[in-house]
């Protein structure tokens, strides 16, 4: 039964990932989320058989059928990533239907935030505010039929307190560095992290994020020194002064803490 659910939600994740690509590519462009998808180079509208998630990309060999221009690898990557995340939270929360739906909505927002930050080095406001709202209200949503009203109220206050502490930490990094160490978008995302995981859980996720960011950043810099053409082509622009988006590491820290219960500190 669980295997069937995982398979179903993996496929559903591929389909949702296709829509998330549209959201990411059209966000802040003034374009509507409705309307027919088309090639960004020639503008030709895509036929129904060209819009199967991942499969169409592979069948077309990553190029537009009409003009031959390359199709961004973002399409299959986001589709597969969303499919994996869908299967992951179903595996974690099955058969709790409320949790499955709640974290499904949460993960969709986080995918948009991560990919947009990787592309533009800025965290979009709309999905971030939606994430914060869900995080703050998570006790009411997840505990509606389980906890007394006073317990839900206190938990929401604790979530707000945890979010504010993490917000102040990132705000101080942003303010005192003159935006060199951290962006204000990271502070807002950190608030949502604290509101969702609580203060201690958020501290664990943030420390994981900093460790992972340092590890990956130093690895990319080291690869830049390797005298291999392919490595240097990929990593030539990385140095100690390079700007690396931090939202992916914050979200990775959240996922590791939430789904795999990876903890650094024993509280």
């Amino acid at each position: 039964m669980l295997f069937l659910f995982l398979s179903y939600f993996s496929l559903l994740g591929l389909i949702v990932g296709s829509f998330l690509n549209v959201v990411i590519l059209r966000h802040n462009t003034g374009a509507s989320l409705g309307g027919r998808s088309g090639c960004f180079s020639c503008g030709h509208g895509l036929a129904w058989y060209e819009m199967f998630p991942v499969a169409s990309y592979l069948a077309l060999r990553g190029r537009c059928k009409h003009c031959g221009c390359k199709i961004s690898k973002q399409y299959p990557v986001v589709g597969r990533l969303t499919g994996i995340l869908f299967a992951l939270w179903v595996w974690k929360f099955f058969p709790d239907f409320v949790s499955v739906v709640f974290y499904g909505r949460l993960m969709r927002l986080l995918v948009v935030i991560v990919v947009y930050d990787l592309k533009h080095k800025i965290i979009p406001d709309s999905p971030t505010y939606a994430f914060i709202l869900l995080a703050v209200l998570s006790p009411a949503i997840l505990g509606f039929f389980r906890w007394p009203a006073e317990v839900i109220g206190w938990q929401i206050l604790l979530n707000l307190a945890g979010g504010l502490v993490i917000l102040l930490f990132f705000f101080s990094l942003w303010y005192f560095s003159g935006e060199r160490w951290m962006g204000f978008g990271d502070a807002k995302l950190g608030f949502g992290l604290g509101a969702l995981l609580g203060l201690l859980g958020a501290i664990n996720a943030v420390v994981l994020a900093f460790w992972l960011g340092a590890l990956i950043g130093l690895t990319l810099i080291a690869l830049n020194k390797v005298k291999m053409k392919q490595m240097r082509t990929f990593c030539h622009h990385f140095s100690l002064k390079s700007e690396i988006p931090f939202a992916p590491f914050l979200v990775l820290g959240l996922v590791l803490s939430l789904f795999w219960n990876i903890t650094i500190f024993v509280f």
Side-chain angles (χ1 to χ4, degrees), residues 21-39:
N21 271 313
V22 175
V23 175
I24 294 163
L25 292 169
R26 298 185 186 183
H27 184 73
N28 280 340
T29 64
S32 169
L33 294 180
R36 191 176 178 183
S37 296
C39 173

Side-chain angles (χ1 to χ4, degrees), residues 7-102:
S7 300
Y8 169 77
F9 276 93
S10 294
L11 179 60
L12 181 61
L14 291 175
I15 298 171
V16 171
S18 180
F19 173 72
L20 294 182
N21 271 313
V22 175
V23 175
I24 294 163
L25 292 169
R26 298 185 186 183
H27 184 73
N28 280 340
T29 64
S32 169
L33 294 180
R36 191 176 178 183
S37 296
C39 173
F40 272 86
S41 297
C42 67
H44 193 282
L46 299 181
W48 64 268
Y49 55 82
E50 295 177 288
M51 294 190 288
F52 285 99
V54 181
S56 293
Y57 179 88
L58 296 175
L60 294 169
R61 297 182 180 179
R63 291 185 178 274
C64 174
K65 180 181 178 181
H66 306 279
C67 68
C69 288
K70 287 185 176 180
I71 302 172
S72 172
K73 291 181 180 179
Q74 174 185 320
Y75 288 95
V77 169
V78 171
R80 281 179 285 186
L81 173 63
T82 310
I84 291 170
L85 286 173
F86 265 55
L88 181 62
W89 80 66
V90 171
W91 167 76
K92 174 70 175 180
F93 297 108
F94 179 84
D96 186 341
F97 177 76
V98 175
S99 293
V100 168
V101 173
F102 173 77

Side-chain angles (χ1 to χ4, degrees), residues 169-170 182 186 189-190 193 201-217 244-257 262 264:
F169 169 71
F170 280 113
M182 199 70 59
D186 297 306
L189 185 59
L193 210 70
I203 290 173
N204 182 78
V206 168
V207 172
L208 276 172
F210 275 110
W211 285 6
L212 291 167
L215 177 62
I216 293 175
I244 299 177
F246 195 56
F249 300 108
L250 283 173
V251 173
L252 185 55
L254 183 154
V255 169
L256 292 174
S257 299
I262 295 178
I264 299 173

Side-chain angles (χ1 to χ4, degrees), residues 3 40 49 124 136-137 140 145 148 156 160 174 180 207 223 244:
F3 175 77
F40 272 86
Y49 55 82
V136 172
L137 296 179
F145 295 107
I156 289 176
L160 285 171
W174 168 77
R180 292 190 303 273
V207 172
L223 289 175
I244 299 177

Side-chain angles (χ1 to χ4, degrees), residues 98-214:
V98 175
S99 293
V100 168
V101 173
F102 173 77
Y103 286 106
R105 177 60 179 166
L106 212 63
M107 289 300 114
R108 291 198 293 271
L109 293 170
L110 292 176
V111 168
V112 172
I113 290 169
V114 166
V115 178
Y116 195 89
D117 192 29
L118 286 170
K119 282 178 66 68
H120 303 289
K121 292 184 173 61
I122 186 170
I123 296 177
D125 282 336
S126 299
T128 303
Y129 293 145
F131 168 65
I132 291 172
L133 180 62
L134 284 178
V136 172
L137 296 179
S138 58
I141 298 171
L142 298 174
F144 186 79
F145 295 107
R146 308 171 189 174
W147 304 335
E150 59 270 18
V151 172
I152 292 175
W154 277 110
Q155 191 60 53
I156 289 176
L157 290 176
L158 288 174
N159 284 11
L160 285 171
L164 285 172
V165 172
I166 303 299
L167 172 66
L168 289 173
F169 169 71
F170 280 113
F171 177 83
S172 64
L173 293 178
W174 168 77
Y175 181 80
F176 291 109
S177 69
E179 301 185 42
R180 292 190 303 273
W181 298 345
M182 199 70 59
F184 189 62
D186 297 306
K188 290 183 283 189
L189 185 59
F191 177 79
L193 210 70
L196 180 68
L197 299 177
L199 179 57
L200 300 183
I203 290 173
N204 182 78
V206 168
V207 172
L208 276 172
F210 275 110
W211 285 6
L212 291 167

